């Protein structure tokens, strides 16, 4: 069965100031439990803010490192999930449910990509 990587893309400057509230966390917990019980979820986690990250860059054979925050970046990866689904349609259905859990106060993009095997 194919595996899919979902990347949660978020504009850190447009996140509700109070962050995720208890209602969202409860709905998210229920959805993640359902995805896990369905045998789909392999791994998932949120990521710390980009200000706490470091980028490694290769250019002309030279490697450089830049610590966050990254002022030129508007949208960052805020979390990920690795799911094993029967097909892309199933992965997109779970993605739709994940987005709906967030309600109207959040602006998110969920990029879903199949993981190349072998």
């Amino acid at each position: 069965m194919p595996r899919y990587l979902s990347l949660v893309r978020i504009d850190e400057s447009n996140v509700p100031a109070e962050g995720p509230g208890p209602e969202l966390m409860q709905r998210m917990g229920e959805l993640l439990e359902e995805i896990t019980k369905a045998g789909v979820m392999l791994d998932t986690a949120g990521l710390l803010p980009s200000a706490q990250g470091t980028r490694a860059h290769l250019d002309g054979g030279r490697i450089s490192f830049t610590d966050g925050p990254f002022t030129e970046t508007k949208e960052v990866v805020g979390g990920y999930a690795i799911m094993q689904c029967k097909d892309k349609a199933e992965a997109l259905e779970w993605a739709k449910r994940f987005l709906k859990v967030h309600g109207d106060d959040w602006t998110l993009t969920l990029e879903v990509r199949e993981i190349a095997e072998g």
Side-chain angles (χ1 to χ4, degrees):
M1 229 187 317
R3 295 178 302 148
Y4 294 87
L5 172 66
S6 298
L7 298 172
V8 180
R9 297 190 177 275
I10 189 165
D11 178 349
E12 288 180 316
S13 67
N14 194 24
V15 174
E18 67 281 356
E23 300 87 13
L24 171 57
M25 295 307 292
Q26 180 179 345
R27 291 191 310 268
M28 183 61 64
E30 291 168 358
L31 178 62
L32 293 178
E33 183 177 338
E34 183 180 351
I35 297 172
T36 301
K37 285 182 178 178
V40 171
M41 185 65 70
L42 300 178
D43 189 24
T44 188
L47 300 174
L48 293 176
S50 64
Q52 297 175 5
T54 301
R55 288 184 178 163
H57 182 74
L58 174 66
D59 182 12
R62 292 187 318 236
I63 297 173
S64 62
F65 297 94
T66 306
D67 290 332
F70 311 110
T71 56
E72 74 282 0
T73 301
K74 180 176 179 183
E75 194 176 69
V76 299
V77 176
Y80 72 93
I82 298 175
M83 301 178 294
Q84 188 165 359
C85 301
K86 64 182 178 187
D87 55 25
K88 189 173 185 178
E90 181 184 10
L92 292 175
E93 181 60 32
W94 287 115
K96 181 169 86 174
R97 292 185 60 194
F98 174 85
L99 291 172
K100 283 185 175 183
V101 161
H102 287 79
D104 298 336
D105 295 333
W106 290 78
T107 301
L108 302 173
T109 300
L110 196 61
E111 181 179 341
V112 179
R113 297 173 61 182
E114 186 172 345
I115 297 171
E117 301 295 335

